[in-house]
Amino acid sequence: MTTSNIILIVIIILLALYCSRLKLREQPQEENVSQLNAPKLHISNNDIMQYIRDFANKFTPVMENKGIDFIVKCQPESMMGWIDTDKIDKVLLLIISDMAGNATTGGKITIDVDTDQNYSRVFIRIRDNGQEISSMGYHIAYQLVQFHQGHMINKHYEGQGNTISIELPITRDSFDKAQAAEEQASAFHIPENIELHVPTIDLPAGYEDVENPLGAIIQQAYVSADQEYLQRAIQCINDHIMDSDYDREAFAADMGSSVSTLYNKIRAITGKNITNFVRDIRIKKACRLAKENPDLRVSDIAYQVGFKDPKYFATSFKRVMGVQPKEYISQQKSEDR
């Protein structure tokens, strides 16, 4: 099993996991449908061209493995605009995975992205040379685009393939209507048996006996995008736990995103802003230090977790833990006796 095949397995599993998150709770209705309350829009200011290019290029190992000619073009190369990255992730994922699943060796998938003259809307055209797409994944993507105040159509040309055209607003004031729609609590109705077409590969005989068994790889891959993002964010803070000058700009740079994108992502996953998110990680580290060495002074612990001012550390600690650091340390000493 080559490294590229292992990566391919992980990508396929993650693709399936992304779409499984779109499945809905069953409703006791005659048609046995599930209901998904309309998700909230979390728009943020991003370099849209760079974002789409980076996301689409994650599919490159899959395309290369299947012998598909995969091209991504963005014009202009860079352009800032407002989008909900989570919703666009799912739209691109559903469409590209459908096309890749239907493609055969010699297939072709092209993504072209451009904008209008006023830079107020973005146009995404995804083309292939395969069979007509009419899967449930496509219809979910269609609903998500509509919820994003956009439009999506698919034209299939016999013997030539599909051309899926997506038009999205990207200015901040374009989402006033979306906010109103959100307050009306609209809903999606999607059948339970969502079918996801993803390319597969044959595993060689005896693969379970190799050093990294398939089960271990699946276990490592079975993590949602949000969980993976959160783990990376926590690791970034822990890597700079003693650096009191590690600010949100440096944090965002390490995560490969803008401050606004980082803020919206952390807020959506944890419900916290960046300041409180970082503070809580530092306080948790302080608790571990106090447990490991109850003889440490409060000021020593404060400095080791990136607080310049021990008094501010004590205030933050109580806000998170409900007790002063000295009380917490005393509790640890009592438990050790």
Side-chain angles (χ1 to χ4, degrees), residues 52-279:
I52 293 176
R53 186 163 48 244
D54 289 347
F55 183 84
N57 283 335
K58 293 177 182 178
F59 289 83
T60 299
V62 175
M63 303 301 182
E64 290 180 347
N65 187 275
K66 290 203 68 177
I68 300 171
D69 186 12
F70 185 53
I71 301 171
V72 181
K73 301 177 182 177
C74 296
Q75 184 61 37
E77 289 288 318
S78 177
M79 183 185 67
M80 300 301 293
W82 293 83
I83 57 172
D84 183 329
T85 56
D86 180 67
K87 306 300 183 296
I88 303 307
D89 279 355
K90 290 180 173 63
V91 169
L92 294 176
L93 168 70
L94 289 163
I95 295 173
I96 298 174
S97 62
D98 258 355
M99 287 184 171
N102 290 331
T104 58
T105 300
K108 183 175 182 178
I109 299 175
T110 302
I111 301 176
D112 289 292
V113 188
D114 57 18
T115 183
D116 62 357
Q117 293 181 347
N118 297 324
Y119 301 99
S120 61
R121 306 186 75 82
V122 68
F123 305 98
I124 306 171
R125 298 176 184 85
I126 309 175
R127 302 182 178 92
D128 71 358
N129 58 353
Q131 301 176 355
E132 182 175 5
I133 292 177
S134 59
S135 68
M136 185 55 61
Y138 172 82
H139 294 295
I140 296 173
Y142 177 85
Q143 289 183 337
L144 288 171
V145 169
Q146 280 196 318
F147 184 70
H148 205 288
Q149 300 300 293
H151 305 282
M152 184 171 92
I153 60 172
N154 178 31
K155 293 183 179 180
H156 180 263
Y157 303 93
E158 192 64 35
Q160 298 182 37
N162 298 279
T163 297
I164 295 179
S165 300
I166 301 170
E167 179 182 349
L168 297 170
I170 57 172
T171 58
R172 182 66 181 86
D173 57 5
S174 298
F175 292 93
D176 292 339
K177 292 182 180 179
Q179 181 64 36
E182 178 184 317
E183 293 172 356
Q184 294 174 3
S186 60
F188 297 128
H189 294 276
I190 306 171
E192 179 72 17
N193 57 338
I194 298 171
E195 182 179 4
L196 174 65
H197 298 286
V198 293
T200 58
I201 58 173
D202 295 324
L203 298 176
Y207 176 61
E208 288 289 347
D209 297 328
V210 300
E211 189 173 304
N212 293 312
L214 178 60
I217 293 190
I218 293 177
Q219 181 65 30
Q220 293 170 10
Y222 197 78
V223 58
S224 74
D226 285 350
Q227 289 172 327
E228 184 179 9
Y229 189 93
L230 188 60
Q231 289 170 1
R232 286 202 299 120
I234 293 172
Q235 187 61 51
C236 280
I237 303 303
N238 284 326
D239 288 345
H240 300 85
I241 199 70
M242 296 181 65
D243 184 1
S244 59
D245 295 323
Y246 189 66
D247 57 16
R248 63 180 60 199
E249 285 76 18
F251 185 14
D254 286 345
M255 291 295 291
S257 66
S258 66
V259 173
S260 60
T261 297
L262 177 66
Y263 175 88
N264 286 317
K265 198 74 173 176
I266 295 296
R267 188 78 170 184
I269 298 172
T270 69
K272 304 174 184 177
N273 59 33
I274 296 176
T275 300
N276 290 345
F277 176 73
V278 174
R279 177 204 64 191

Side-chain angles (χ1 to χ4, degrees), residues 46 61 147 299 329:
N46 300 269
F147 184 70
S299 59
I329 292 173

Side-chain angles (χ1 to χ4, degrees), residues 30-45:
E30 294 181 359
E31 298 180 0
N32 189 28
V33 298
S34 300
Q35 185 181 49
L36 174 66
N37 288 331
K40 292 184 178 181
L41 280 174
H42 296 285
I43 60 170
S44 57
N45 197 19

